[in-house]
Amino acid sequence: MTSGAGQTRSQDALQLEALLVSRAYLYTLFNKLFGGTPDAELLDVLLGQTTADVLEEFSANSPELRAFAAMLAEKRGEDGDVLLDGIRDEYTRVLIGPANLPASPYESPYTGAHDMALFQENTVVVRRAYHAQGLRARREQAVPDDHVALMCAFMAALGGRSLEALRAGDYAALAEGLRAQAAFRAAHMGEWLDIYAKSVRNSKAGGKHVLYPQLIEALSAFVKADADFLAESAFWAETQAAGEATGIAPELAAAQEALEALQAMRPFGIQDNELVSVD
């Protein structure tokens, strides 16, 4: 991004708004796919054109995201019912059980002493990060806060706030929010996702790989790309004077509508991996 006045600044703000919408969309999509049992509606979104367009925006320097987008394009030609059955079966094997999971979807076992127990010290650290932003897990105390789906929900929620700040012309709040997301990403969504992805990819836990090993790899790659985006966007926001409230750019109305439709989807079990406001 370049800073400046007049038309240049307007173009930069529009570019940033488009990327923030796409970023919130991807984190929301990851939350739904990791946090609830996939259904036909969610599969349609995953294989749809909006998802393809959003992935393209972030894949320029990411062969992993390009490979994921290509895989989804291939799956559009498969029988939908058969594909959904395979994805739902794999979701159960990778994220639910009852058999032993190929790898833990929680951060804690990958940190410290690598203890596989849940609700470790790191779980509380993540919970405090949510609370600091006025959020908590819907089923706090019943589910560990450091599940990958909850982390994606957190980044999606803060990403939505960044959109609101940009559209309100509050660049100070925008910069502060982006820095907070960068700090959480660095502290809790780093190397462990790579280890998680490799563990699931190399597992022999029954059945062929359908979606989830590739999905975890895509999330890990997106989180890496997000580091540069957050740093550059926060720096840009910090160089701007307060602007006028603009609302949603007309060019992005369809993208915003797609994001809101995705946010409203409630695959079975998603309540375990949702965030709500702290009372």
Side-chain angles (χ1 to χ4, degrees):
M1 292 182 185
T2 58
S3 60
Q7 186 65 24
T8 300
R9 178 174 296 183
S10 175
Q11 290 174 347
D12 284 349
L14 179 60
Q15 178 189 9
L16 177 56
E17 184 179 357
L19 289 171
L20 284 172
V21 172
S22 295
R23 179 176 173 273
Y25 179 97
L26 275 181
Y27 275 122
T28 302
L29 182 61
F30 285 124
N31 166 253
K32 304 294 184 182
L33 287 166
F34 287 117
T37 304
D39 54 26
E41 182 181 32
L42 188 56
L43 179 60
D44 285 345
V45 169
L46 176 64
L47 300 183
Q49 188 59 48
T50 298
T51 299
D53 292 342
V54 168
L55 284 170
E56 185 176 1
E57 289 192 76
F58 289 95
S59 64
N61 297 313
S62 175
E64 295 88 354
L65 287 178
R66 290 197 298 273
F68 184 64
M71 182 207 72
L72 294 181
E74 291 177 0
K75 289 189 180 298
R76 292 187 196 114
E78 298 183 16
D79 182 286
D81 291 337
V82 174
L83 178 59
L84 180 58
D85 285 345
I87 290 174
R88 288 166 68 98
D89 176 69
E90 187 173 57
Y91 171 82
T92 300
R93 287 187 283 109
V94 171
L95 287 153
I96 301 297
N100 290 335
L101 302 183
S104 174
Y106 303 94
E107 180 192 10
S108 292
Y110 302 91
T111 64
H114 301 283
D115 186 346
M116 293 303 290
L118 303 180
F119 291 102
Q120 298 183 40
E121 179 180 356
N122 182 74
T123 310
V124 178
V125 173
V126 172
R127 180 181 303 164
R128 288 173 182 158
Y130 298 164
H131 287 188
Q133 296 294 331
L135 298 168
R136 65 171 178 84
R138 181 182 293 279
R139 299 191 62 228
E140 188 175 87
Q141 304 292 347
V143 297
D145 305 74
D146 56 344
H147 191 283
V148 61
L150 277 170
M151 291 187 178
C152 291
F154 183 63
M155 296 296 275
L158 267 58
R161 292 179 184 178
S162 294
L163 267 172
E164 293 173 0
L166 175 65
R167 290 165 176 165
D170 190 346
Y171 293 120
L174 173 61
E176 182 180 359
L178 292 170
R179 292 296 185 194
Q181 292 167 71
F184 184 84
R185 190 219 69 82
H188 300 290
M189 301 187 76
E191 294 182 4
W192 82 272
L193 287 174
D194 271 343
I195 300 170
Y196 180 36
K198 290 174 183 176
S199 297
V200 173
R201 169 70 77 175
N202 295 331
S203 73
K204 307 296 183 182
K208 67 176 184 178
H209 296 321
V210 181
L211 173 68
Y212 279 88
Q214 303 95 315
L215 186 70
I216 302 166
E217 290 166 352
L219 173 61
S220 182
F222 176 56
V223 165
K224 291 175 184 174
D226 201 27
D228 290 337
F229 170 77
L230 288 168
E232 293 172 5
S233 300
F235 176 78
W236 178 86
E238 288 163 349
T239 66
Q240 310 303 307
E244 295 182 2
T246 60
I248 300 171
E251 302 95 318
L252 299 176
Q256 180 67 31
E257 184 178 348
L259 170 59
E260 292 174 0
L262 178 58
Q263 290 169 334
M265 291 183 185
R266 310 246 336 133
F268 180 79
I270 193 64
Q271 65 273 10
D272 286 351
N273 293 296
E274 290 180 319
L275 296 175
V276 296
S277 297
V278 173
D279 295 331

